[in-house]
Amino acid sequence: EGFKDCNREVEIIVRNAIEKLKLKGATVEAVSIPEHIHGEAIWSPIALEGGYTQMIKGGGDGMNWCGQYSTWMRDHVRRGLKTKINDISVTLKYAILLCEYLSENYDGHFYSKAQNLVRWLRASYDKVLKSYDVIIMPTIKFP
């Protein structure tokens, strides 16, 4: 499943890495994780909405976690976003617009759904990892 619709260059790199492991004595077997095909759809809302909330709304380090908060970084990120918004990449501008739209119209629904599904997806990998030390495959497609 990890190689379905995979970028050819990425597939070659991953398969070459597998061959190198075989040469070093690793036992390599093909396994099936059918749930993997849903990984991108589960990952996307978490990465987009979660990243947006943490990095843009949260000034770089989010909120509601125990640990060291960088007030210096937070202040500079917020100031930069207010004064230099035109300097950010087109990709980030697109992500900000998308996440603002999702926030206004769906209020975290897709993020919440993805977080609920991630446990199901992780369980499918964990099941395979009970019998194997490592899973080697491409992760998600990027253009």
Side-chain angles (χ1 to χ4, degrees):
E1 293 83 17
F3 291 97
K4 185 177 188 293
D5 299 325
C6 180
N7 175 290
R8 183 72 183 134
E9 291 177 44
V10 171
E11 182 176 351
I12 290 168
I13 291 168
V14 173
R15 291 194 186 280
N16 285 342
I18 291 169
E19 290 306 314
K20 287 179 183 178
L21 289 170
K22 282 183 183 178
L23 290 173
K24 297 217 179 253
T27 302
V28 177
E29 296 177 12
V31 298
S32 178
I33 306 173
E35 298 86 351
H36 181 72
I37 63 170
H38 301 290
E40 184 177 4
I42 294 169
W43 173 83
S44 293
I46 294 169
L48 283 168
E49 293 181 71
Y52 172 74
T53 300
Q54 178 179 349
M55 299 305 296
I56 304 302
K57 292 288 193 181
D61 58 8
M63 300 179 80
N64 202 28
W65 61 279
C66 295
Q68 180 68 33
Y69 283 81
S70 175
T71 55
W72 176 88
M73 181 179 71
R74 179 182 292 270
D75 294 345
H76 280 76
V77 168
R78 298 300 302 148
R79 188 177 308 114
L81 287 170
K82 287 180 181 178
T83 61
K84 306 240 184 222
I85 194 71
N86 291 328
D87 294 342
I88 65 174
S89 70
V90 171
T91 304
L92 184 54
K93 288 176 185 174
Y94 168 76
I96 289 171
L97 288 172
L98 175 62
C99 291
E100 276 294 323
Y101 172 82
L102 291 171
S103 178
E104 279 291 314
N105 292 283
Y106 299 98
D107 199 25
H109 173 85
F110 298 110
Y111 176 85
S112 298
K113 184 173 184 176
Q115 284 289 8
N116 291 337
L117 288 170
V118 81
R119 291 188 309 275
W120 165 78
L121 182 61
R122 185 178 297 125
S124 67
Y125 298 119
D126 289 345
K127 182 179 176 184
V128 170
L129 288 169
K130 286 181 181 177
S131 301
Y132 297 92
D133 293 326
V134 66
I135 300 170
I136 303 172
M137 65 180 157
T139 53
I140 63 170
K141 299 178 294 227
F142 281 94

